[in-house]
Amino acid sequence: MELSKTFDPKAAEEHWFQLWVDRRYFKADPKRSGEVFSIVIPPPNVTGQLHLGHALNVTLHDVIVRMRRMQGYNTLWLPGTDHAGIATQNVVEREIAKEKVTRHDLGREKFVERVWHWRETYGGKILHQLRKLGASCDWSRERFTLDEGLSRAVTKVFVMLYHEGLIYRDYRLINWCPRCETALSDLEVEHKESKGNLWHIQYPLSDGSGSIIVATTRPETMLGDTAVAVHPEDERYRAMVGKMVRLPLTNREIPIIADESVDKSFGSGAVKITPGHDFNDFETGRRHKLAQISVMDIHGRMSAEAGAYRGQTREDCRKNVIADLEGQGLLEKIEPHQHALGVCSRCDTTVEPMLSYQWFMAVNKPGRNGESLAGAASKAVKDGATKFFPKRWENTYFAWIDNLQDWCISRQLWWGHRIPAYWCQKCERPEPVVAEERPTSCPRCGSDDLKQDDDVLDTWFSSGLWPFSTLGWPEQTDDLEKYYPTSLLITGFDIIFFWVARMMMFGIKCMDDVPFRDVYITPLVRDASGKKMTKSRGNVVDPLEIMDKYGTDAVRFTLAQLSVQGRDLILSDDRLAASRAFANKIWNAARFVLMNLEGAPQPLPAVDSSKMGLAERWILSRLDAAIEKVTSEINAYEFNNAALTVYQFIWHEFCDWYIELAKDPLKAGGERQAAARYVLVTCFDRMLRMLHPFMPFISEEIWQALRPYMSEAGLSDHLAVAPFPVGGESRLGPEEASAMDRCIETTEAINSLRSLAGHHPGQRVTAVLRHEANDDADHLGNWRDYAMTLGKVADLKVVPTSEPRPPRMVFAPLNWAEVGVEAPEGFDFDKARASVKRKLEETRGHLERHQARFDNPGFRAKADAETIAEIGEKIEELKAQEKVLSAQLEQLK
Ligand SMILES: [Zn+2]
Ligand SMILES: [Zn+2]
C-alpha cells in the first residue's frame, strides 16, 4: 500500500472510524476476562452543540480509553445524552412559538409528544459530533436519561428515599423563575451585581407614639410584611420592641420583634420581615412563628394579598408603592445601593423567592444506615475512595458538600421524570401514595380517582444516577457487576456541585460504593490572548471548524498537549498549526521509509540486536524509554507531558536523528540495509502504537501501509486493537550509551558552530576534536561516521589538547573535549564578534527590564498570577539566550 503525497484527514477520519465501529472494536464484553477500565461519558444535553469544552473532554477520555483498550483492559466507555429538562423544554417552546402556539394551548400530553419528536429529529446531533472527534465509545450501549430503563431507576430511587424519609414534601420558600414558571435549585440561580436603591420608609406605631424607619431594597414586598425586626441590643429601639406598627398601604398591624440576625449598621437598623419573599426573613419568621404571606403569583404578578396592587407586575407595583408612600409622606429618603440580584440561569429573568409546595431531598438527615447522603459523600473523598486530580479541587468539593442544604428536586415543567406520587381526588388524603407502579385505588377510601403529581424531577436527579442506571440498575446485570464502580470521571469544574457531588451521594446510597475511583477536572479553555471564550466576546472557537481546517488528529493532539493540571488551556492557531506540522512530519517520515522498503520481503526477516549497529540499538532503546515515560504520564493524567514525550521522540530522536543515520546503511545494501529496514519498521510500529491514543486516524493509516512488513507473530488487523507497547530492557551498554551522547553533543556543536561561522547550510566543513591525550578515543570509531554524516564534516581531525588550537577556527566546549570548525574564506572574526556582542547587550537590557518588573512589589500586587508566570518564563528564556551568546563570544576568540 502506498501513501499519497499528503495526508487527507477527512478521508482517513471517515474511513477508519466507520471500520472500527463495524468491526465492533469498541464494544465491551462483561464476560471477557481482564482488568476493568470503565468510564461513563458526562452526558451532553440533547440540545447541545459541540463546543471546545466537549472536544477537550472527549479527547482526554479517548486518549486514556484507547490506551487502556490497547493495554488489554476490559474496557467500556458508555455514551449517552441528558434530557436536560428546562433547557429542552425552552427550545421546543421557542419552536412552537413560531407557530404562535404555547405549551398551554397544546396541553401536557401533546407538548411532551412534540418534545420527543424534537429529540428524535435533532437529539442525535451532539453524539454525531463526538464521533467525528474519534470517540471510541461503545455506541451499541448508548443511553438517554429519559429512556425506559433509566426512568425505572429514577422511580425506584425516589420511592426508596421517600420511604426512608429522605425525600419529603414541604411548603417552603424556594427560588422561582416567573418566566419558566418553575422552581430552581440554588445552582440554577446566577447572581449579578445590580445598581438599586435603599428606600427608607416610615412605619407609624399603632399607639400614635411616633414611627420606626425601615430600610429595604424591595419596597413592593412590604405588602407581605409580617413584622419589623431590630437587634435586641440596639439601644435606639429597645423601648419599641413588643409594640405594634400600622403597615402602610394595607390595613394590617404587625409587631416589632427583636432578633439577633439583624445587622444594626444596615440602613436604619430596623428591617421589615417578609417571610413570603426573602430567605433570611423566612427563617426569622419561623423562629418567631410569624405568618407567611405571598403577595405574588407564579407569573410574577401581584396576587390578591397585595390588595389594591393586585394584577400589577413586580416592576409596576414597585413604582406605585413608592409613589403612594411619597404621597402619604412616609418616604423618608432614597439612597443608591449596590446589591446582588438573582437571575434564572436559563432565561435571565429576575428570580423571585416564592412560597410553594415542593419536593426536597434531605441531605444531612441520617438514613437507615445512620449516615446522611452528604456525610457519606464527603467521607468517601476524605477516605480516598475517590481521588481528585488536581487534588486542590477536593477543597472545592468539601466546601460545598459539608455545607449543603436540602435539595429542591421538583420542577414545574412538563419535560422530565414525573414524580411517582399519586393524590386521591376523593378523600384529599394529605399524603400522596408514593409507589413504583401506579396504585389502582386509594388505600384509605378505596377510590380509583387518583392523580399523579404534576411536577417532574430536576434534571440532575437522573444524571446523578448515571454511573449505575446506565449499567442496568436496578437489575443486577453483568454490566453492573463488571463495570461499577467506574474507573475515572473526566469533567469540568463547573459541574462539581451540579453533578459530581450528586453522583457521589446517589452512588454510595444505591450501590454502597463510590461511582468512580478518580475524578480528573479538565482545564478551562481560553483564547490565544488568555481570555475566557464567551459568545458576547465573539471569541468562541468552533471545534468543528478547526477540525475541518487542521484535521481532527491535530486538534486532539493540541488539546492533550495543552492540558496541564491546574492551569488554564490557552488555544491558539499557532499551536494547532504546529500539531498539523507534526502530523505532516510523521507522514513524510512514513513515505521515506516506504520508499526504502521497495523490493523488501514482506514481512521483513527479524534482525537480532547483536547484528545491529550502534544507531539502531540506540533508537530502539530511546523508544523503549519514551514508551515507559508516556505510559506513566498517562497513568498520572499528565496528558501534556505524555504528548510532549511522544512529540520529542518522534520529531527529534526518530526523524531528526535516526532517519538521517539510517540513510547510509539503507544505501549500503546487505546486512546493514536489512538491519536498518527492520529497525525503521519496528520503530515505526511501536511509535504509532504510542501515538495512536492521541492521533488515532493518521496513526492507523500509516500503520496499515507498514503492516505487511511487520514480522510480529499474531499481528492484529488494526492498530486500534494492537497491544500498547511496553518498554524493554536497554539494548545499549553504558559505554555505548555514553558514546551516542557524545556523538549527539559533538554533532550539535558542529552544526551550531557552522552557522556561527557563516557557512552555507549544505557546506561540508573541516572540524577538529581536541581532547586530553590520555582520553580513550577508541569509542570514537563507533560514531565518528555518524557525526561526520550529520555534521556534514569533510574531514574530522583528532588532536590532543597539548597541541595549540589551529588558526581561523571557531571552538565550542564539550563535556569531555572541545570541537572546532574552520571558518570559511574571508570570514571576519572582528565583525562577527561585534555582532554577537551587540546581541548580547540587547539581551541583557531586556533581561534587566523584565527582572525589575518581576521584582517590583507594586506590579506584583496588581498583576494576575498568569502575567507574573509569563514574565518569569520570559526571564528564563532571556537567561538561556544570554548564556548562548556569551558562549558564542568565547567561541569567536
Ligand atoms: Zn427562567
Ligand atoms: Zn382516598
Side-chain angles (χ1 to χ4, degrees):
M1 185 176 145
E2 264 191 46
L3 294 180
S4 58
K5 216 160 164 214
T6 52
F7 176 54
D8 175 4
K10 226 170 264 167
E13 288 163 19
E14 276 166 30
H15 175 73
W16 294 117
F17 194 80
Q18 196 52 49
L19 181 136
W20 295 327
V21 172
D22 291 346
R23 292 277 188 124
R24 300 152 73 95
Y25 286 157
F26 308 149
K27 197 161 162 50
D29 177 7
K31 294 272 192 283
R32 231 198 72 203
S33 61
E35 203 178 323
V36 169
F37 185 79
S38 62
I39 287 196
V40 289
I41 205 167
N45 287 355
V46 280
T47 52
Q49 161 87 335
L50 189 77
H51 58 62
L52 260 182
H54 295 127
L56 168 67
N57 187 289
V58 164
T59 295
L60 300 184
H61 272 94
D62 205 45
V63 167
I64 194 153
V65 167
R66 282 183 188 265
M67 179 171 100
R68 292 285 184 253
R69 185 180 297 118
M70 292 171 81
Q71 284 176 322
Y73 281 74
N74 185 330
T75 306
L76 166 68
W77 182 14
L78 189 144
T81 45
D82 192 288
H83 69 281
I86 194 166
T88 312
Q89 177 159 328
N90 283 355
V91 167
V92 178
E93 276 190 88
R94 276 200 296 277
E95 195 182 74
I96 58 173
K98 287 180 205 148
E99 303 157 25
K100 307 252 186 292
V101 176
T102 70
R103 68 183 162 104
H104 299 285
D105 297 335
L106 289 181
R108 184 166 191 153
E109 210 174 307
K110 280 260 157 10
F111 178 77
V112 170
E113 255 173 46
R114 272 299 289 259
V115 186
W116 274 108
H117 178 75
W118 182 92
R119 189 252 167 185
E120 299 309 328
T121 319
Y122 304 106
K125 190 173 162 192
I126 179 82
L127 292 183
H128 181 74
Q129 291 171 331
L130 301 188
R131 287 166 182 248
K132 275 192 69 103
L133 271 163
S136 63
C137 300
D138 180 348
W139 293 99
S140 71
R141 279 177 165 79
E142 187 189 322
R143 302 306 296 264
F144 179 52
T145 47
L146 261 182
D147 70 25
E148 214 186 312
L150 270 61
S151 299
R152 199 160 57 240
V154 165
T155 305
K156 177 123 189 147
V157 172
F158 186 95
V159 173
M160 183 183 92
L161 295 181
Y162 176 82
H163 290 301
E164 209 176 322
L166 297 180
I167 284 181
Y168 61 94
R169 196 163 179 264
D170 197 11
Y171 189 67
R172 275 202 193 173
L173 202 61
I174 43 90
N175 294 300
W176 182 267
C177 174
R179 202 222 60 90
C180 300
E181 292 181 13
T182 180
L184 302 172
S185 73
D186 290 347
L187 288 174
E188 289 163 318
V189 178
E190 280 171 15
H191 295 276
K192 286 189 176 164
E193 271 306 300
S194 159
K195 272 190 198 132
N197 288 321
L198 200 55
W199 283 272
H200 294 247
I201 306 166
Q202 282 187 29
Y203 284 17
L205 292 167
S206 299
D207 63 8
S209 63
S211 65
I212 186 164
I213 291 168
V214 302
T216 178
T217 57
R218 303 202 53 200
E220 70 281 10
T221 63
M222 67 176 283
L223 303 168
D225 286 1
T226 51
V228 168
V230 296
H231 195 274
E233 276 148 33
D234 194 334
E235 292 299 334
R236 294 171 290 178
Y237 301 114
R238 188 159 274 179
M240 290 188 189
V241 174
K243 287 191 173 183
M244 301 296 279
V245 297
R246 224 168 10 84
L247 184 61
L249 314 180
T250 70
N251 48 17
R252 286 192 290 120
E253 286 199 330
I254 57 174
I256 297 174
I257 59 169
D259 194 276
E260 302 252 337
S261 68
V262 177
D263 176 2
K264 284 189 276 187
S265 65
F266 177 80
S268 59
V271 292
K272 63 202 249 331
I273 300 297
T274 324
H277 292 280
D278 181 279
F279 288 98
N280 290 325
D281 293 3
F282 180 81
E283 294 303 324
T284 311
R286 277 203 162 175
R287 286 195 290 276
H288 295 269
K289 302 205 166 43
L290 298 173
Q292 301 163 344
I293 300 176
S294 191
V295 293
M296 275 173 229
D297 65 14
I298 58 168
H299 314 293
R301 286 180 178 268
M302 305 312 288
S303 69
E305 297 281 359
Y309 304 91
R310 176 185 189 165
Q312 297 181 5
T313 63
R314 293 181 281 181
E315 296 76 19
D316 287 346
C317 179
R318 175 176 299 181
K319 283 189 207 119
N320 294 330
V321 161
I322 298 296
D324 292 346
L325 288 170
E326 201 157 23
Q328 295 180 21
L330 295 174
L331 191 62
E332 183 75 11
K333 65 172 171 176
I334 308 173
E335 280 178 295
H337 182 72
Q338 280 260 359
H339 64 117
L341 191 68
V343 298
C344 171
S345 61
R346 288 287 157 197
C347 73
D348 235 26
T349 303
T350 304
V351 165
E352 188 63 46
M354 285 278 252
L355 285 167
S356 67
Y357 274 106
Q358 298 290 344
W359 293 89
F360 295 89
M361 197 167 98
V363 294
N364 299 314
K365 182 178 166 186
R368 277 195 193 121
N369 61 0
E371 263 189 334
S372 70
L373 292 163
S378 174
K379 186 169 172 286
V381 174
K382 276 183 194 109
D383 293 350
T386 294
K387 293 190 185 72
F388 278 70
F389 298 82
K391 197 174 166 58
R392 69 183 166 94
W393 286 110
E394 287 179 4
N395 294 328
T396 309
Y397 173 84
F398 291 134
W400 194 69
I401 203 134
D402 293 342
N403 296 290
L404 199 54
Q405 304 278 321
D406 285 1
W407 171 21
C408 175
I409 53 176
S410 45
R411 295 291 180 274
Q412 287 63 51
L413 302 171
W414 288 351
W415 178 241
H417 299 97
R418 202 149 162 190
I419 287 176
Y422 303 86
W423 301 87
C424 176
Q425 301 298 292
K426 278 271 149 55
C427 67
E428 287 176 30
R429 197 175 185 264
E431 276 296 304
V433 184
V434 173
E436 285 178 53
E437 300 294 334
R438 186 189 182 90
T440 48
S441 59
C442 167
R444 198 163 82 170
C445 74
S447 163
D448 59 359
D449 190 4
L450 291 158
K451 188 172 178 288
Q452 186 169 4
D453 200 291
D454 278 330
D455 292 355
V456 300
L457 288 164
D458 180 2
T459 267
W460 298 99
F461 193 95
S462 53
S463 36
L465 314 180
W466 187 252
F468 52 94
S469 62
T470 52
L471 297 175
W473 190 92
E475 308 302 325
Q476 288 307 307
T477 60
D478 292 341
D479 274 9
L480 191 64
E481 165 93 3
K482 188 83 177 179
Y483 299 117
Y484 191 93
T486 64
S487 314
L488 170 67
L489 175 79
I490 301 182
T491 192
F493 70 91
D494 49 339
I495 54 175
I496 292 180
F497 312 137
F498 275 114
W499 195 45
V500 180
R502 282 160 184 175
M503 283 191 286
M504 289 291 286
M505 292 195 280
F506 283 128
I508 296 167
K509 186 75 189 171
C510 300
M511 295 295 299
D512 211 18
D513 199 351
V514 291
F516 21 77
R517 296 284 172 228
D518 292 345
V519 179
Y520 174 87
I521 302 293
T522 52
L524 183 72
V525 184
R526 293 180 183 273
D527 73 4
S529 57
K531 292 205 174 67
K532 207 176 151 179
M533 292 188 187
T534 59
K535 277 202 189 118
S536 56
R537 277 202 188 96
N539 61 348
V540 177
V541 173
D542 178 358
L544 295 169
E545 248 169 53
I546 54 172
M547 281 153 70
D548 215 37
K549 185 170 172 192
Y550 297 101
T552 298
D553 283 324
V555 171
R556 289 171 56 116
F557 192 79
T558 306
L559 291 173
Q561 191 186 28
L562 295 176
S563 287
V564 184
Q565 278 188 30
R567 257 175 93 167
D568 292 344
L569 186 158
I570 299 194
L571 188 69
S572 66
D573 278 316
D574 288 353
R575 297 310 285 256
L576 289 161
S579 295
R580 182 174 53 191
F582 180 47
N584 290 338
K585 179 95 178 172
I586 303 168
W587 188 259
N588 292 334
R591 280 173 49 82
F592 169 83
V593 171
L594 281 167
M595 208 173 69
N596 281 286
L597 286 170
E598 255 165 50
Q602 298 184 356
L604 294 174
V607 175
D608 191 75
S609 289
S610 60
K611 300 251 168 64
M612 293 176 187
L614 175 61
E616 279 71 35
R617 280 175 294 123
W618 170 76
I619 193 67
L620 289 172
S621 301
R622 296 301 304 153
L623 176 57
D624 278 351
I627 288 165
E628 264 178 27
K629 195 154 179 279
V630 165
T631 309
S632 70
E633 284 161 344
I634 297 182
N635 285 344
Y637 312 122
E638 293 168 2
F639 295 100
N640 60 313
N641 291 336
L644 186 67
T645 303
V646 170
Y647 181 92
Q648 292 279 10
F649 175 78
I650 296 181
W651 191 299
H652 296 300
E653 299 192 295
F654 185 71
C655 294
D656 285 355
W657 284 92
Y658 184 64
I659 287 200
E660 293 304 319
L661 291 176
K663 283 179 178 169
D664 277 347
L666 283 174
K667 274 183 232 142
E671 269 191 13
R672 283 185 70 207
Q673 184 194 37
R677 279 174 161 174
Y678 174 74
V679 168
L680 281 169
V681 170
T682 305
C683 242
F684 233 118
D685 170 26
R686 292 164 65 80
M687 179 171 105
L688 290 171
R689 293 182 198 221
M690 177 168 83
L691 177 71
H692 183 73
F694 298 93
M695 293 185 150
F697 301 109
I698 193 174
S699 58
E700 183 76 85
E701 182 111 353
I702 296 175
W703 197 79
Q704 291 299 332
L706 289 168
R707 190 175 175 280
Y709 300 97
M710 295 174 190
S711 38
E712 185 183 306
L715 191 63
S716 52
D717 287 348
H718 294 97
L719 177 57
V721 285
F724 199 80
V726 275
E729 268 176 48
S730 175
R731 294 160 211 248
L732 292 181
E735 266 172 45
E736 288 179 315
S738 90
M740 268 318 281
D741 288 346
R742 286 182 178 191
C743 173
I744 291 170
E745 194 194 4
T746 308
T747 311
E748 281 175 349
I750 290 173
N751 281 325
S752 88
L753 290 173
R754 172 217 299 294
S755 97
L756 180 68
H759 279 291
H760 189 272
Q763 179 68 46
R764 297 189 91 71
V765 296
T766 301
V768 167
L769 262 176
R770 289 173 79 235
H771 68 100
E772 292 294 333
N774 61 3
D775 187 86
D776 178 12
D778 286 350
H779 63 268
L780 195 61
N782 282 327
W783 56 269
R784 184 189 186 121
D785 287 348
Y786 298 155
M788 286 183 68
T789 307
L790 298 188
K792 297 191 193 78
V793 178
D795 180 18
L796 180 62
K797 287 195 188 76
V798 182
V799 298
T801 22
S802 52
E803 279 183 26
R805 280 175 170 177
R808 296 200 49 76
M809 290 197 105
V810 283
F811 276 91
L814 303 171
N815 280 327
W816 56 286
E818 182 179 69
V819 66
V821 166
E822 197 174 64
E825 250 349 280
F827 179 72
D828 187 339
F829 276 79
D830 291 336
K831 213 171 136 193
R833 252 195 310 275
S835 152
V836 171
K837 217 171 172 178
R838 204 166 47 241
K839 279 189 218 153
L840 183 61
E841 274 158 15
E842 259 171 43
T843 304
R844 284 183 175 149
H846 282 311
L847 184 58
E848 263 170 43
R849 277 196 300 282
H850 277 86
Q851 191 70 53
R853 217 167 146 220
F854 191 74
D855 295 339
N856 178 357
F859 165 75
R860 293 181 76 95
K862 267 185 278 165
D864 57 58
E866 251 163 79
T867 313
I868 293 173
E870 258 168 45
I871 294 181
E873 275 164 32
K874 183 81 196 165
I875 289 174
E876 289 312 308
E877 209 178 283
L878 287 167
K879 276 183 180 162
Q881 209 175 325
E882 187 197 18
K883 216 169 136 189
V884 170
L885 289 166
S886 311
Q888 285 183 350
L889 210 53
E890 280 297 306
Q891 289 158 13
L892 285 167
K893 265 183 189 161

mmCIF file with all atom_site columns, all heavy atoms in Angstrom, residues 424-429 442-447, ligand 2:
data_model
loop_
_atom_site.group_PDB
_atom_site.id
_atom_site.type_symbol
_atom_site.label_atom_id
_atom_site.label_alt_id
_atom_site.label_comp_id
_atom_site.label_asym_id
_atom_site.label_entity_id
_atom_site.label_seq_id
_atom_site.pdbx_PDB_ins_code
_atom_site.Cartn_x
_atom_site.Cartn_y
_atom_site.Cartn_z
_atom_site.occupancy
_atom_site.B_iso_or_equiv
_atom_site.pdbx_formal_charge
_atom_site.auth_seq_id
_atom_site.auth_comp_id
_atom_site.auth_asym_id
_atom_site.auth_atom_id
_atom_site.pdbx_PDB_model_num
ATOM   1  N  N   . CYS A 1 424 ? -55.130 11.165 45.966 1.00 0.00 ? 424 CYS A N   1
ATOM   2  C  CA  . CYS A 1 424 ? -56.529 10.753 45.883 1.00 0.00 ? 424 CYS A CA  1
ATOM   3  C  C   . CYS A 1 424 ? -57.399 11.996 45.698 1.00 0.00 ? 424 CYS A C   1
ATOM   4  O  O   . CYS A 1 424 ? -57.260 12.975 46.424 1.00 0.00 ? 424 CYS A O   1
ATOM   5  C  CB  . CYS A 1 424 ? -56.954 10.008 47.147 1.00 0.00 ? 424 CYS A CB  1
ATOM   6  S  SG  . CYS A 1 424 ? -58.703 9.582  47.114 1.00 0.00 ? 424 CYS A SG  1
ATOM   7  N  N   . GLN A 1 425 ? -58.259 11.952 44.702 1.00 0.00 ? 425 GLN A N   1
ATOM   8  C  CA  . GLN A 1 425 ? -59.107 13.097 44.402 1.00 0.00 ? 425 GLN A CA  1
ATOM   9  C  C   . GLN A 1 425 ? -60.399 13.080 45.229 1.00 0.00 ? 425 GLN A C   1
ATOM   10 O  O   . GLN A 1 425 ? -61.114 14.059 45.249 1.00 0.00 ? 425 GLN A O   1
ATOM   11 C  CB  . GLN A 1 425 ? -59.450 13.116 42.914 1.00 0.00 ? 425 GLN A CB  1
ATOM   12 C  CG  . GLN A 1 425 ? -58.233 13.179 42.005 1.00 0.00 ? 425 GLN A CG  1
ATOM   13 C  CD  . GLN A 1 425 ? -57.426 14.449 42.218 1.00 0.00 ? 425 GLN A CD  1
ATOM   14 O  OE1 . GLN A 1 425 ? -57.868 15.554 41.910 1.00 0.00 ? 425 GLN A OE1 1
ATOM   15 N  NE2 . GLN A 1 425 ? -56.230 14.317 42.774 1.00 0.00 ? 425 GLN A NE2 1
ATOM   16 N  N   . LYS A 1 426 ? -60.656 11.948 45.866 1.00 0.00 ? 426 LYS A N   1
ATOM   17 C  CA  . LYS A 1 426 ? -61.895 11.830 46.637 1.00 0.00 ? 426 LYS A CA  1
ATOM   18 C  C   . LYS A 1 426 ? -61.714 12.293 48.073 1.00 0.00 ? 426 LYS A C   1
ATOM   19 O  O   . LYS A 1 426 ? -62.373 13.200 48.540 1.00 0.00 ? 426 LYS A O   1
ATOM   20 C  CB  . LYS A 1 426 ? -62.385 10.373 46.654 1.00 0.00 ? 426 LYS A CB  1
ATOM   21 C  CG  . LYS A 1 426 ? -63.154 9.988  45.399 1.00 0.00 ? 426 LYS A CG  1
ATOM   22 C  CD  . LYS A 1 426 ? -64.660 10.271 45.516 1.00 0.00 ? 426 LYS A CD  1
ATOM   23 C  CE  . LYS A 1 426 ? -65.292 10.630 44.169 1.00 0.00 ? 426 LYS A CE  1
ATOM   24 N  NZ  . LYS A 1 426 ? -65.075 9.643  43.095 1.00 0.00 ? 426 LYS A NZ  1
ATOM   25 N  N   . CYS A 1 427 ? -60.778 11.673 48.791 1.00 0.00 ? 427 CYS A N   1
ATOM   26 C  CA  . CYS A 1 427 ? -60.677 11.962 50.212 1.00 0.00 ? 427 CYS A CA  1
ATOM   27 C  C   . CYS A 1 427 ? -59.635 13.026 50.518 1.00 0.00 ? 427 CYS A C   1
ATOM   28 O  O   . CYS A 1 427 ? -59.424 13.400 51.654 1.00 0.00 ? 427 CYS A O   1
ATOM   29 C  CB  . CYS A 1 427 ? -60.391 10.689 51.006 1.00 0.00 ? 427 CYS A CB  1
ATOM   30 S  SG  . CYS A 1 427 ? -58.773 9.974  50.694 1.00 0.00 ? 427 CYS A SG  1
ATOM   31 N  N   . GLU A 1 428 ? -59.003 13.518 49.488 1.00 0.00 ? 428 GLU A N   1
ATOM   32 C  CA  . GLU A 1 428 ? -57.975 14.538 49.702 1.00 0.00 ? 428 GLU A CA  1
ATOM   33 C  C   . GLU A 1 428 ? -57.047 14.154 50.830 1.00 0.00 ? 428 GLU A C   1
ATOM   34 O  O   . GLU A 1 428 ? -56.812 14.898 51.777 1.00 0.00 ? 428 GLU A O   1
ATOM   35 C  CB  . GLU A 1 428 ? -58.601 15.909 49.924 1.00 0.00 ? 428 GLU A CB  1
ATOM   36 C  CG  . GLU A 1 428 ? -59.146 16.462 48.629 1.00 0.00 ? 428 GLU A CG  1
ATOM   37 C  CD  . GLU A 1 428 ? -59.872 17.773 48.804 1.00 0.00 ? 428 GLU A CD  1
ATOM   38 O  OE1 . GLU A 1 428 ? -59.494 18.513 49.716 1.00 0.00 ? 428 GLU A OE1 1
ATOM   39 O  OE2 . GLU A 1 428 ? -60.812 18.033 48.038 1.00 0.00 ? 428 GLU A OE2 1
ATOM   40 N  N   . ARG A 1 429 ? -56.565 12.928 50.719 1.00 0.00 ? 429 ARG A N   1
ATOM   41 C  CA  . ARG A 1 429 ? -55.593 12.398 51.647 1.00 0.00 ? 429 ARG A CA  1
ATOM   42 C  C   . ARG A 1 429 ? -54.411 13.367 51.720 1.00 0.00 ? 429 ARG A C   1
ATOM   43 O  O   . ARG A 1 429 ? -53.878 13.748 50.682 1.00 0.00 ? 429 ARG A O   1
ATOM   44 C  CB  . ARG A 1 429 ? -55.133 11.040 51.087 1.00 0.00 ? 429 ARG A CB  1
ATOM   45 C  CG  . ARG A 1 429 ? -54.446 10.147 52.063 1.00 0.00 ? 429 ARG A CG  1
ATOM   46 C  CD  . ARG A 1 429 ? -54.193 8.800  51.352 1.00 0.00 ? 429 ARG A CD  1
ATOM   47 N  NE  . ARG A 1 429 ? -53.634 7.848  52.274 1.00 0.00 ? 429 ARG A NE  1
ATOM   48 C  CZ  . ARG A 1 429 ? -52.342 7.635  52.367 1.00 0.00 ? 429 ARG A CZ  1
ATOM   49 N  NH1 . ARG A 1 429 ? -51.502 8.280  51.608 1.00 0.00 ? 429 ARG A NH1 1
ATOM   50 N  NH2 . ARG A 1 429 ? -51.903 6.753  53.243 1.00 0.00 ? 429 ARG A NH2 1
ATOM   51 N  N   . CYS A 1 442 ? -57.119 4.166  46.158 1.00 0.00 ? 442 CYS A N   1
ATOM   52 C  CA  . CYS A 1 442 ? -56.629 4.871  47.337 1.00 0.00 ? 442 CYS A CA  1
ATOM   53 C  C   . CYS A 1 442 ? -56.670 3.928  48.546 1.00 0.00 ? 442 CYS A C   1
ATOM   54 O  O   . CYS A 1 442 ? -57.709 3.322  48.818 1.00 0.00 ? 442 CYS A O   1
ATOM   55 C  CB  . CYS A 1 442 ? -57.513 6.091  47.599 1.00 0.00 ? 442 CYS A CB  1
ATOM   56 S  SG  . CYS A 1 442 ? -57.254 6.841  49.222 1.00 0.00 ? 442 CYS A SG  1
ATOM   57 N  N   . PRO A 1 443 ? -55.569 3.773  49.257 1.00 0.00 ? 443 PRO A N   1
ATOM   58 C  CA  . PRO A 1 443 ? -55.559 2.842  50.384 1.00 0.00 ? 443 PRO A CA  1
ATOM   59 C  C   . PRO A 1 443 ? -56.500 3.282  51.513 1.00 0.00 ? 443 PRO A C   1
ATOM   60 O  O   . PRO A 1 443 ? -56.857 2.480  52.369 1.00 0.00 ? 443 PRO A O   1
ATOM   61 C  CB  . PRO A 1 443 ? -54.103 2.836  50.845 1.00 0.00 ? 443 PRO A CB  1
ATOM   62 C  CG  . PRO A 1 443 ? -53.449 3.994  50.198 1.00 0.00 ? 443 PRO A CG  1
ATOM   63 C  CD  . PRO A 1 443 ? -54.272 4.418  49.032 1.00 0.00 ? 443 PRO A CD  1
ATOM   64 N  N   . ARG A 1 444 ? -56.930 4.549  51.535 1.00 0.00 ? 444 ARG A N   1
ATOM   65 C  CA  . ARG A 1 444 ? -57.798 4.996  52.626 1.00 0.00 ? 444 ARG A CA  1
ATOM   66 C  C   . ARG A 1 444 ? -59.275 4.875  52.274 1.00 0.00 ? 444 ARG A C   1
ATOM   67 O  O   . ARG A 1 444 ? -60.046 4.293  53.013 1.00 0.00 ? 444 ARG A O   1
ATOM   68 C  CB  . ARG A 1 444 ? -57.481 6.435  53.014 1.00 0.00 ? 444 ARG A CB  1
ATOM   69 C  CG  . ARG A 1 444 ? -58.023 6.779  54.396 1.00 0.00 ? 444 ARG A CG  1
ATOM   70 C  CD  . ARG A 1 444 ? -57.409 8.002  54.991 1.00 0.00 ? 444 ARG A CD  1
ATOM   71 N  NE  . ARG A 1 444 ? -58.065 9.207  54.466 1.00 0.00 ? 444 ARG A NE  1
ATOM   72 C  CZ  . ARG A 1 444 ? -57.868 10.418 54.950 1.00 0.00 ? 444 ARG A CZ  1
ATOM   73 N  NH1 . ARG A 1 444 ? -57.002 10.594 55.935 1.00 0.00 ? 444 ARG A NH1 1
ATOM   74 N  NH2 . ARG A 1 444 ? -58.490 11.445 54.458 1.00 0.00 ? 444 ARG A NH2 1
ATOM   75 N  N   . CYS A 1 445 ? -59.673 5.388  51.129 1.00 0.00 ? 445 CYS A N   1
ATOM   76 C  CA  . CYS A 1 445 ? -61.095 5.382  50.798 1.00 0.00 ? 445 CYS A CA  1
ATOM   77 C  C   . CYS A 1 445 ? -61.453 4.421  49.674 1.00 0.00 ? 445 CYS A C   1
ATOM   78 O  O   . CYS A 1 445 ? -62.628 4.248  49.347 1.00 0.00 ? 445 CYS A O   1
ATOM   79 C  CB  . CYS A 1 445 ? -61.580 6.789  50.455 1.00 0.00 ? 445 CYS A CB  1
ATOM   80 S  SG  . CYS A 1 445 ? -61.016 7.348  48.839 1.00 0.00 ? 445 CYS A SG  1
ATOM   81 N  N   . GLY A 1 446 ? -60.438 3.828  49.041 1.00 0.00 ? 446 GLY A N   1
ATOM   82 C  CA  . GLY A 1 446 ? -60.718 2.839  48.014 1.00 0.00 ? 446 GLY A CA  1
ATOM   83 C  C   . GLY A 1 446 ? -61.054 3.432  46.658 1.00 0.00 ? 446 GLY A C   1
ATOM   84 O  O   . GLY A 1 446 ? -61.247 2.707  45.688 1.00 0.00 ? 446 GLY A O   1
ATOM   85 N  N   . SER A 1 447 ? -61.105 4.748  46.556 1.00 0.00 ? 447 SER A N   1
ATOM   86 C  CA  . SER A 1 447 ? -61.432 5.385  45.275 1.00 0.00 ? 447 SER A CA  1
ATOM   87 C  C   . SER A 1 447 ? -60.346 5.081  44.244 1.00 0.00 ? 447 SER A C   1
ATOM   88 O  O   . SER A 1 447 ? -59.167 4.970  44.571 1.00 0.00 ? 447 SER A O   1
ATOM   89 C  CB  . SER A 1 447 ? -61.552 6.892  45.475 1.00 0.00 ? 447 SER A CB  1
ATOM   90 O  OG  . SER A 1 447 ? -61.471 7.550  44.229 1.00 0.00 ? 447 SER A OG  1
HETATM 91 ZN ZN  . ZN  B 2 .   ? -58.885 8.401  49.062 1.00 0.00 ? 2   ZN  B ZN  1
#
